[in-house]
Amino acid sequence: MHELSIAHNIVNIASTAAAEAGAEEISVVHLRIGALAGVVADALRFSFAIAAEGTPLANAELIIEEVPVTVFCPTCNTEVTLPNPRLFRCPQCGQPSGQIVHGRELELVALETP
């Protein structure tokens, strides 16, 4: 379960940011996770609670924004969101498209204090 190591990294990064900002506690952690990031959101939530114990994030809520896969279709000359992240074909014209624009993110977006 690599989500536990990801959760530990999130806690370390957020704890460092909190200390640098002079915050003693973090109440909310905002993440963006792409559909292709290979992270199971529920497993990350479970792991985050374990990793955060005894840290300034011990009581923090983890809010995850799941980012769909978006590709650039050269035929349509536009970005399109894929209804199925396993089929890299433009949903408008049906042409293959492998230029991923969004969907691989694993980003710590924001921290909130009480």
Side-chain angles (χ1 to χ4, degrees):
M1 180 162 85
H2 72 284
E3 283 82 358
L4 184 57
S5 64
I6 293 170
H8 277 291
N9 285 332
I10 292 167
V11 169
N12 289 338
I13 293 167
S15 294
T16 300
E20 289 174 357
E24 295 181 15
E25 184 180 351
I26 299 296
S27 58
V28 182
V29 176
H30 295 269
L31 295 179
R32 287 175 36 99
I33 300 177
L36 299 176
V39 177
V40 178
D42 288 338
L44 183 58
R45 284 185 186 92
F46 176 79
S47 298
F48 178 79
I50 294 168
E53 288 180 9
T55 73
L57 289 89
N59 297 312
E61 175 185 5
L62 184 62
I63 297 177
I64 298 174
E65 175 191 350
E66 296 186 25
V67 181
V69 178
T70 302
V71 297
F72 178 79
C73 175
T75 304
C76 297
N77 197 33
T78 189
E79 293 180 7
V80 292
T81 299
L82 300 181
N84 182 344
R86 292 186 178 105
L87 299 176
F88 282 79
R89 290 189 174 277
C90 176
Q92 296 173 3
C93 70
Q95 292 298 312
S97 179
Q99 186 177 346
I100 300 169
V101 179
H102 298 288
R104 293 184 284 204
E105 295 85 350
L106 179 53
E107 303 171 339
L108 175 58
V109 178
L111 303 171
E112 295 180 26
T113 57

